[in-house]
Amino acid sequence: MGILEVKGVNKRFGGLQALGDVNLSVKENSVHAIIGPNGAGKSTLLNCLVGKLIPDSGSVMFDGKSVLGRKPHEINQMGISRVFQTPEIFGDLSVLENVMIPCFARRDGAFRLHAYETVRKEADIREQAEAMLEDVDMLDKRHMTASSLSRGDKRRLEMAMCLVQAPKLLLLDEPTAGMARADTNNTIDLLKEIKAKRDITMCIIEHDMHVVFSLAERITVLAQGTPLVEETPENIKGHPKVREAYLGEAQV
Amino acid sequence: MLGLERKDTYLMLAVAFITLFAPIILNPFPAGSALAQFNAGYPDLMQRFVIFGIFAIGFNILFGLTGYLSFGHAAFLGIGSYSAVWMFKLLSMNVIPAILLSIVMAGLFALVIGFVSLRRSGIYFSILTLAFAQMSYNLAYSVLTPVTNGETGLQISLNDPRILDGPSNGGLPVTSLFGAEMRDSTTLFVGPWSWDFSVGYYVCAALMLLAFYLSVRIFRSPFGMMLRAVKSNQQRMNYTGLNTRPYTLAAFVISGMYAGLAGGLLAAMDPLAGADRMQWTASGEVVLMTILGGAGTLIGPVLGAGFIKYFENIFSKINDGILHQWFAFMPDGLENVMVTLIHPFIGKGWHLTLGIMFMLVVIFLPGGLVEGAQRTGRLFRRRDRNAGHVESDAARQRAAAE
């Protein structure tokens, strides 16, 4: 049993079968990549995992519990954090506040009316957030407004916001999309570092083969809404079905 | 002090000082002088300053922090007033139960209206709140006449039961706080100056200070931080395990209760409640106050409220006769030209002046009067110590970030 078990998931948008009978099993503490050409249904699948979309049929079990029908904030509280394609951070707030908010969410749950307490006096939360920022080398930027960070730093900040919650599963939606080579390599190093330091399961949706082969232990190839193969990186490289999906039949 | 940071403590003390000595500060000109018409230190106007200050402080908790622009907050003001007058009619002329009921009723209505309206955001939220407020206004005006006394407005009368007070002897009773009548005031004469210290004003001022203190606490609390996060990125909020709906609803209810308190105080100063108080222009006014002063800042809404109420009451009083007096030193022709030029901006034309000022502020000072004050302050500081300004800049950025 994997920590994340997807069984027979279907999702239609009108006449388009976005996901057709998707099965996926992600082992605990592994790095699992989902790759596939444009329109293969990678993002749809991810949105079904985090509660943004509800599949038409099938089951999604996380840590032994079903996530279907739960709202995004409930799924996050179960231990799934998500990194977006373009970093989603609190742009108007300081870097430190950005990391403190997930700490509050972990400690106090989805809602608490802590209107008469003072942020300054939350030394524990502050220390926790600062330690996390230290971890991603951003402590010196903690008083900057988040929107003024460079793109790379925004990505680092978003990772810090997810990791400070100590999620069991980290979902990454094309974490290097639109990045220059150097930035991509930095992100790969960052992710390797994160993985080395803690017990965490990662599920990466990615376009860039370089990223996938540097990180993943298992790879699922998705084409036209259906998983073609699930293999180790070595076995994926020369796999005829994968070549077919990416390059088209004519060139095989 | 009181669990506030040093900077906020100073602000709180400054506000307390100005509020307590307002009768003196707002009457800088001797009573008989030509400039006496610019004096704002009479009880009726000072009460309006602080009551609408409370209204705007509460509105700012919703709009300034979460960015949800309610266009129907006057409904809660009106509900507060009606509740208070009913308390004066049925229970007692003491203002405390009246104000408590105002806050509770406004809070309940805010809970219902907020629950429905907060399903949408942006312009749709504004329209929903506007619709609710206009519905309340029209109901109060027509269908609910038994409760609101329709066009005439709800008033106290000699036949009211007033269970706790017993039958009144003689004229209409007046609102009071354990015997201290709201309309009572002491006038202090110092040389040519005269200052009015009214009971009603100090009751309102004390509540305004309490309201302001609570708003500072909310701004500096984890809850306040969550509200700013809602304004910044709701998507990230949800994917961080936070449910945005209860946060926005709590902010909506709190700001509705502030409006209820303001409405209750309006009735406590003058036990009369009319449907006009709920009209959309009244909702628009609090939006103007908050933006003019500086949305999202602590002191801005109070400044904006004071500013607008000052214009409404002082500028509207200036008429052509007064203008002729001012320009009497000029040759006759020029005097008439000046009066004709200025005429549209004064008296009934005070809205024009206010409108122009509002436009100037929004275009040049998006942060409102508070930003204006900050810029001026920075200008002076830079002149004072040219050499040290780099460090002070960095310090300010650090302070702003914290």
Side-chain angles (χ1 to χ4, degrees):
Chain A
M1 266 298 268
I3 188 161
L4 180 73
E5 290 283 339
V6 178
K7 285 216 177 78
V9 163
N10 283 285
K11 180 77 194 172
R12 290 190 79 87
F13 296 112
L16 177 77
Q17 180 90 30
L19 293 176
D21 200 27
V22 174
N23 294 302
L24 179 73
S25 175
V26 177
K27 276 223 310 272
E28 199 162 354
N29 288 331
S30 69
V31 179
H32 196 117
I34 299 169
I35 61 170
N38 279 329
K42 303 187 296 290
S43 295
T44 310
L45 177 61
L46 191 101
N47 283 332
C48 287
L49 304 182
V50 294
K52 194 171 186 186
L53 292 174
I54 298 170
D56 301 332
S57 63
S59 76
V60 179
M61 302 289 283
F62 173 70
D63 214 8
K65 282 174 245 148
S66 171
V67 306
L68 294 188
R70 288 179 206 253
K71 298 212 174 91
H73 66 88
E74 293 168 326
I75 293 176
N76 171 280
Q77 293 285 0
M78 290 169 74
I80 300 183
S81 283
R82 173 182 183 177
V83 170
F84 287 80
Q85 206 166 337
T86 39
E88 293 279 353
I89 53 175
F90 301 115
D92 305 330
L93 275 58
S94 76
V95 168
L96 183 63
E97 285 174 321
N98 265 275
V99 187
M100 284 171 85
I101 285 173
C103 299
F104 277 118
R106 258 308 156 272
R107 194 192 69 186
D108 299 335
F111 171 72
R112 190 174 145 204
L113 191 64
H114 30 30
Y116 202 70
E117 283 125 69
T118 307
V119 173
R120 284 231 150 193
K121 296 201 175 131
E122 305 278 2
D124 291 356
I125 297 270
R126 194 188 175 89
E127 275 163 28
Q128 202 185 340
E130 283 179 346
M132 187 68 234
L133 284 171
E134 176 89 76
D135 235 23
V136 292
D137 283 334
M138 285 186 68
L139 193 58
D140 51 330
K141 294 178 179 141
R142 65 187 179 280
H143 295 316
M144 283 174 73
T145 307
S147 61
S148 66
L149 292 174
S150 71
R151 203 192 140 123
D153 277 343
K154 281 181 184 163
R155 169 63 72 211
R156 277 176 118 63
L157 174 60
E158 196 190 26
M159 299 260 190
M161 291 165 73
C162 290
L163 292 174
V164 80
Q165 297 194 310
K168 291 177 199 149
L169 173 63
L170 181 63
L171 295 173
L172 301 114
D173 187 2
E174 303 201 25
T176 63
M179 275 190 189
R181 204 64 180 169
D183 282 339
T184 303
N185 287 333
N186 284 337
T187 307
I188 293 173
D189 292 343
L190 177 66
L191 287 170
K192 278 185 174 162
E193 204 184 302
I194 288 166
K195 186 73 189 74
K197 272 189 199 162
R198 63 200 92 210
D199 288 338
I200 190 169
T201 316
M202 291 193 199
C203 185
I204 305 179
I205 282 186
E206 190 49 85
H207 226 78
D208 189 332
M209 290 301 143
H210 170 60
V211 178
V212 172
F213 290 124
S214 320
L215 288 167
E217 292 156 34
R218 299 287 295 178
I219 297 176
T220 299
V221 184
L222 213 61
Q224 289 164 354
T226 323
L228 289 180
V229 269
E230 195 193 310
E231 270 294 356
T232 56
E234 296 76 52
N235 295 339
I236 285 284
K237 276 180 186 163
H239 205 289
K241 274 192 173 174
V242 179
R243 291 178 60 92
E244 183 187 313
Y246 267 86
L247 304 171
E249 245 168 306
Q251 292 174 28
V252 176
Chain B
M1 193 186 77
L2 292 166
L4 298 181
E5 292 165 35
R6 193 187 300 158
K7 209 176 58 179
D8 295 335
T9 308
Y10 289 152
L11 183 66
M12 188 73 217
L13 288 175
V15 173
F17 179 84
I18 293 169
T19 324
L20 294 180
F21 292 98
I24 299 172
I25 297 166
L26 292 174
N27 260 4
F29 307 112
S33 71
L35 289 171
Q37 61 205 328
F38 288 109
N39 280 344
Y42 53 96
D44 188 45
L45 182 55
M46 287 192 299
Q47 285 162 10
R48 277 171 187 278
F49 283 159
V50 287
I51 291 173
F52 281 90
I54 294 173
F55 190 20
I57 291 170
F59 186 77
N60 190 42
I61 291 173
L62 180 71
F63 176 57
L65 288 178
T66 70
Y68 276 81
L69 176 58
S70 161
F71 248 103
H73 255 50
F76 307 125
L77 192 77
I79 288 160
S81 288
Y82 281 120
S83 312
V85 176
W86 270 112
M87 221 52 178
F88 294 139
K89 286 168 88 70
L90 298 177
L91 195 69
S92 157
M93 290 305 282
N94 193 327
V95 295
I96 294 202
I99 289 170
L100 286 179
L101 185 75
S102 305
I103 299 174
V104 171
M105 289 303 287
L108 288 176
F109 273 81
L111 191 66
V112 175
I113 295 179
F115 185 79
V116 178
S117 306
L118 286 165
R119 299 186 156 266
R120 291 283 169 269
S121 59
I123 186 80
Y124 303 101
F125 168 78
S126 303
I127 296 293
L128 280 170
T129 50
L130 176 63
F132 271 113
Q134 282 303 89
M135 260 151 58
S136 312
Y137 165 71
N138 282 305
L139 286 176
Y141 210 78
S142 54
V143 187
L144 289 179
T145 300
V147 183
T148 61
N149 203 19
E151 266 179 83
T152 329
L154 194 62
Q155 299 167 8
I156 53 169
S157 78
L158 280 172
N159 309 324
D160 294 332
R162 263 184 289 283
I163 305 163
L164 292 182
D165 290 1
S168 71
N169 41 353
L172 271 179
V174 290
T175 53
S176 65
L177 179 70
F178 303 115
E181 292 184 4
M182 288 299 126
R183 61 176 185 189
D184 255 9
S185 75
T186 323
T187 310
L188 184 67
F189 296 96
V190 178
W193 285 275
S194 72
W195 298 313
D196 284 325
F197 298 93
S198 108
V199 175
Y201 169 72
Y202 279 101
V203 169
C204 297
L207 286 169
M208 201 274 282
L209 288 177
L210 180 67
F212 183 69
Y213 170 72
L214 290 176
S215 120
V216 176
R217 289 299 298 249
I218 290 175
F219 266 65
R220 301 292 181 236
S221 71
F223 175 73
M225 193 159 94
M226 295 302 174
L227 296 184
R228 283 187 295 133
V230 167
K231 183 179 184 177
S232 190
N233 192 338
Q234 290 215 25
Q235 167 127 301
R236 183 32 92 195
M237 275 292 266
N238 285 325
Y239 287 100
T240 304
L242 294 157
N243 193 355
T244 51
R245 285 286 295 284
Y247 278 107
T248 47
L249 186 58
F252 193 86
V253 171
I254 290 170
S255 78
M257 287 163 81
Y258 269 78
L261 169 63
L265 280 174
L266 280 176
M269 297 304 115
D270 179 13
L272 178 82
D276 288 352
R277 220 161 257 177
M278 299 179 150
Q279 218 181 348
W280 66 275
T281 47
S283 299
E285 198 180 53
V286 74
V287 179
L288 290 191
M289 287 171 180
T290 309
I291 294 177
L292 188 69
T297 62
L298 286 168
I299 192 68
V302 186
L303 288 180
F307 213 76
I308 288 187
K309 286 293 155 193
Y310 185 83
F311 266 80
E312 184 183 294
N313 289 278
I314 302 294
F315 256 68
S316 61
K317 273 196 316 203
I318 303 169
N319 55 31
D320 284 7
I322 294 168
L323 283 184
H324 277 292
Q325 269 177 31
W326 287 357
F327 298 109
F329 65 91
M330 292 180 167
D332 265 1
L334 200 57
E335 181 187 325
N336 287 336
V337 171
M338 285 305 285
V339 172
T340 320
L341 277 179
I342 299 180
H343 172 80
F345 296 94
I346 51 146
K348 281 180 183 157
W350 71 274
H351 279 113
L352 186 59
T353 317
L354 186 69
I356 292 172
M357 294 201 49
F358 185 73
M359 283 193 283
L360 290 176
V361 165
V362 170
I363 294 168
F364 294 107
L365 297 170
L369 295 173
V370 168
E371 191 187 331
Q374 282 168 346
R375 282 197 198 173
T376 324
R378 229 169 285 168
L379 210 66
F380 278 109
R381 237 171 296 163
R382 220 161 263 171
R383 273 188 197 154
D384 280 354
R385 35 182 169 139
N386 260 329
H389 81 270
V390 179
E391 285 96 314
S392 74
D393 252 6
R396 203 163 28 254
Q397 270 169 11
R398 264 199 304 277
E402 295 206 356

